[in-house]
Amino acid sequence: MAAGIESPTRWSTIRKDVRSLAVLPNLVDYDEACRTFTWDSARRELTGLPGGGVNIAFEAAHRHAVGERAEREALRFVRADGTTHSLTYRGLSEEANRFASVLRSLGIGRGDRVFSLAGRIPSLYVAMMGTLTNASVFCPLFSAFGPDPIRQRLQLGTGRVLVTTRALYRKKVAPIRSALPELRHVFLVDAEGAPEPDTLDLTALLRDAEPYGPVAETQREDMALLHFTSGTTGTPKGAIHVHDAVAAHLATGRFALDLHPDDIYWCTADPGWVTGTSYGVIAPLVHGVTSIVDEEELDAERWYRILAEQRVSVWYTAPTALRMLMKAGAPLAHEHDLSALRFVASVGEPLNPEVVVWGTEAFGLPVHDNWWQTETGGIMIANYAATEIRPGSMGRPLPGVQAALVRRDDEDRPVMLDGEAELVTEPGTVGELALRPGWPSMFRGYLNEEERYRRCFVGGWYLTGDLATRDADGYYWFVGRGDDVIKSSGHLIGPFEVESCLLEHEAVAEAGVIGIPDPVAGALVKAFVELRPGREPSDALRLDIIGFARKRLGPAIAPRELDFVESLPKTRSGKILRRLLKARELGLPEGDTSTVEGSR
Ligand code: AMP
């Protein structure tokens, strides 16, 4: 047990004695910070472009390339065999300049979208910084996506350039290339010596490019990043983020992750998702710390070895990962020297109180849960290094963030009073988590979907789609999603995307997709399928449909389980009632079924 932390039980508050923590936290007086902090003060701490304006890549990489941080490791990559290779701040800045110059030479400019589809390899980070340096827009895709989600996102986002590997290109992009007429260039990071038709060799292009060059002038509201996220209906939504977001990455890195200049920091999220970009790339670089990047996947023994050997001091991970480590047992943690570790945080799904407390046994530190989503671009609610933890609570709003709970009516719509959303004020009562717009990393739109964006804002609040309660001291407690979106291993999955794919199987007439609880992944995707006339359910057909979905959607999205049903419950207007499917599957009360087709 670390000094300054009491031995807790599942439900007890974990109090901290600030004086005996290893490092004095950045945020000691929460109430005072909430009173005095402004986003403008965070903006003023940025260096800003020499000619005015702000650019994420300048704050994250280029400004550190001169001066005392220049030779510090910005990114330290851990290979499969445990050896490492690094990019210094100067090296990252030079590579990013080369990448920007390659884009320029190909006529890719301001606002053009550059996509990536790659594992956590150096080129991904260089491409991100280089794209932003060039005032182009970066859109990372998760490398475990199958060809369908890749094609759809490249089409929706009008991808002009794709950075990927030879293997991913051959397997997932070449078969859909003809459906992507807007995609002008594919850069392969590992094509040296053996060209692939219709692609460019990125290594050769970078070698010939200039390592110095101007950072394109971008303003606060210029689009910088595009992150696709899933909704309940329709296509994935492209959440637009702007260069102003970097002020939030700076402030939240300081308050919620407690980053100090000498930290060795490890964010385990993949940059294919927003956490891996905001906090796996931007926030740590803005703070000038050294970031660890593991090129491999989760493995308990490997992760402990990385924590120990790389002397990680601040670790940002996810509930699914922590639950897997918990399954492997605390003794495995004790076999490793975790003495450098001083702060552990988690995001992405509900964090069980058991896991928070287990952290004190395994690492000698509790786990600090925090909450945010693709649309918020940065951490909004958090447990802080200096303040007490109530296991099971997401914590309290960041300084500068105004959160509230909006009351919902029986049809899950916000209750309005004189044009204002009615707020839940009684402690312990459920409402929809809402945020007052105005923080720098707030999304500025859903690409080409103005109406969908507008609907997120009601009576002066941004509605998050999550249900929560608040206790008398202002701590927020997650209750559940207000919609049918599924969180599995930290990945947000839109049931509609999965259902649409299943409908393309020749035997499937209708499909309904829900999340079912899983002790490690949080939820697993389960499909209910109505077959076409003349088709009979069988185990072989079940496997065939699951295999079909895996091939197209990739293993991260495809259903794990599939049941055949005679008919799916639907509303009178024909919408599949996923909530009812879920209630039946879990043996829960079915609630109001008056709108169900065939009911009275
Ligand atoms: P994404 O946009 O993929 O980052 O997913 C955001 C969603 O993940 C949120 O709207 C929540 O439903 C869920 N989420 C994120 N953090 C937490 C947390 N600390 N506790 C519970 N759910 C969370």
Side-chain angles (χ1 to χ4, degrees):
M1 182 80 41
I5 294 168
E6 298 169 1
S7 172
T9 58
R10 185 177 192 272
W11 294 115
S12 68
T13 297
I14 301 176
R15 298 211 170 72
K16 298 164 183 168
D17 177 356
V18 170
R19 286 158 308 176
S20 48
L21 293 177
V23 170
L24 183 67
N26 292 322
L27 181 75
V28 173
D29 187 337
Y30 174 76
D31 295 323
E32 169 71 9
C34 289
R35 263 196 308 277
T36 55
F37 173 80
T38 63
W39 292 113
D40 273 340
S41 66
R43 289 185 179 106
R44 279 195 296 274
E45 278 184 58
L46 300 170
T47 306
L49 291 173
V54 62
N55 181 289
I56 293 177
F58 182 77
E59 300 301 328
H62 304 301
R63 66 171 174 153
H64 299 306
V66 286
E68 59 184 40
R69 300 241 143 214
E71 299 311 324
R72 177 165 182 166
E73 291 169 282
L75 298 160
R76 187 189 297 164
F77 298 87
V78 186
R79 298 188 186 96
D81 66 2
T83 58
T84 61
H85 55 125
S86 304
L87 266 174
T88 61
Y89 276 95
R90 191 166 54 77
L92 177 62
S93 164
E94 289 180 5
E95 289 298 297
N97 281 330
R98 287 179 202 271
F99 191 91
S101 130
V102 168
L103 291 180
R104 272 198 304 278
S105 71
L106 293 169
I108 303 296
R110 189 173 291 274
D112 284 337
R113 319 257 157 73
V114 176
F115 280 61
S116 67
L117 177 74
R120 293 174 295 279
I121 52 174
S123 303
L124 169 58
Y125 298 77
V126 167
M128 188 186 305
M129 288 298 127
T131 300
L132 298 172
T133 303
N134 192 46
S136 305
V137 175
F138 193 69
C139 179
L141 296 179
F142 188 43
S143 57
F145 278 159
D148 277 10
I150 294 170
R151 177 189 43 74
Q152 195 174 35
R153 285 159 177 78
L154 276 163
Q155 282 172 341
L156 289 170
T158 324
R160 293 262 184 257
V161 175
L162 173 69
V163 182
T164 188
T165 64
R166 185 196 295 274
L168 288 169
Y169 180 75
R170 280 191 181 160
K171 192 166 163 208
K172 303 182 180 188
V173 184
I176 55 166
R177 185 82 191 261
S178 60
L180 300 166
E182 307 275 8
L183 183 62
R184 291 203 203 130
H185 306 288
V186 173
F187 296 168
L188 294 190
V189 304
D190 53 358
E192 262 179 310
E196 188 84 23
D198 300 324
T199 66
L200 295 169
D201 172 355
L202 182 61
T203 317
L205 290 173
L206 290 176
R207 198 183 307 120
D208 297 338
E210 260 295 308
Y212 309 104
V215 176
E217 223 177 77
T218 44
Q219 302 300 323
R220 274 196 208 168
E221 293 301 313
D222 287 346
M223 197 194 298
L225 297 157
L226 188 60
H227 282 292
F228 281 96
T229 181
S230 298
T232 321
T233 56
T235 54
K237 307 173 275 188
I240 295 169
H241 289 283
V242 297
H243 283 275
D244 193 28
V246 69
H249 298 140
L250 172 83
T252 54
R254 172 177 303 146
F255 290 147
L257 299 177
D258 198 41
L259 290 175
H260 284 64
D262 292 330
D263 275 321
I264 305 285
Y265 164 81
W266 184 20
C267 169
T268 60
D270 188 281
W273 304 95
V274 72
T275 305
T277 301
S278 292
Y279 296 100
V281 190
I282 301 170
L285 293 178
V286 170
H287 278 270
V289 305
T290 296
S291 252
I292 303 296
V293 180
D294 183 16
E295 296 184 348
E296 294 297 305
E297 298 310 319
L298 168 57
D299 169 84
E301 168 70 36
R302 176 179 175 84
W303 276 28
Y304 285 129
R305 228 179 316 119
I306 291 177
L307 287 170
E309 286 173 8
Q310 304 306 325
R311 308 294 297 154
V312 172
S313 54
V314 175
W315 186 34
Y316 194 22
T317 188
T320 300
L322 289 164
R323 287 191 291 262
M324 279 183 73
L325 296 180
M326 194 167 149
K327 245 172 107 179
L332 186 60
H334 298 156
E335 285 171 21
H336 297 81
D337 173 10
L338 305 183
S339 57
L341 196 60
R342 65 170 183 81
F343 188 73
V344 183
S346 155
V347 72
E349 320 148 55
L351 182 66
N352 330 49
E354 293 80 355
V355 180
V356 177
V357 171
W358 177 77
T360 61
E361 189 193 326
F363 325 125
L365 299 164
V367 183
H368 296 75
D369 188 17
N370 58 51
W371 178 96
W372 59 290
Q373 55 182 196
T374 304
E375 285 83 349
T376 71
I379 302 170
M380 296 284 107
I381 294 178
N383 289 284
Y384 306 93
T387 58
E388 68 179 40
I389 294 177
R390 300 180 179 180
S393 161
M394 310 186 284
R396 290 181 287 174
L398 268 278
V401 171
Q402 199 187 339
L405 298 173
V406 166
R407 200 179 299 284
R408 290 168 39 126
D409 65 17
D410 291 344
E411 289 179 23
D412 295 338
R413 286 178 312 218
V415 176
M416 300 297 289
L417 284 177
D418 301 330
E420 287 281 310
E422 191 190 341
L423 301 184
V424 172
T425 48
E426 321 82 86
T429 303
V430 178
E432 179 166 357
L433 182 58
L435 302 163
R436 190 66 96 186
W439 70 96
S441 62
M442 186 179 92
F443 70 136
R444 301 299 203 270
Y446 287 130
L447 195 68
N448 307 327
E449 292 192 275
E450 183 54 33
E451 172 57 22
R452 206 173 185 181
Y453 181 64
R454 229 178 30 76
R455 279 204 309 268
C456 298
F457 298 86
V458 173
W461 295 93
Y462 162 65
L463 299 179
T464 67
D466 281 357
L467 303 178
T469 64
R470 188 180 47 225
D471 65 23
D473 301 310
Y475 281 74
Y476 282 80
W477 301 72
F478 185 78
V479 171
R481 292 282 310 183
D483 56 23
D484 296 332
V485 175
I486 302 160
K487 251 292 154 113
S488 180
S489 295
H491 302 149
L492 206 62
I493 297 169
F496 182 77
E497 197 173 357
V498 183
E499 288 160 2
S500 307
C501 172
L502 292 169
L503 287 182
E504 286 177 34
H505 188 281
E506 42 87 25
V508 177
E510 293 273 20
V513 166
I514 59 167
I516 54 166
D518 178 81
V520 174
L524 291 182
V525 178
K526 174 156 188 176
F528 294 84
V529 161
E530 226 178 283
L531 291 175
R532 285 179 186 277
R535 301 303 304 254
E536 288 302 317
S538 70
D539 284 344
L541 185 55
R542 176 182 293 113
L543 286 180
D544 187 63
I545 299 173
I546 291 180
F548 173 87
R550 275 179 79 88
K551 204 162 153 227
R552 291 178 167 226
L553 296 170
I557 306 183
R560 294 290 180 89
E561 290 187 21
L562 187 149
D563 278 1
F564 295 110
V565 290
E566 285 285 317
S567 69
L568 289 165
K570 289 195 195 130
T571 60
R572 292 208 170 94
S573 60
K575 264 170 60 181
I576 291 169
L577 273 166
R578 302 191 188 101
R579 248 170 253 194
L580 198 55
L581 272 178
K582 192 161 183 170
R584 289 178 184 168
E585 170 73 13
L586 303 179
L588 301 170
E590 295 192 359
D592 179 11
T593 54
S594 59
T595 56
V596 180
E597 193 185 305
S599 68
R600 294 170 161 264

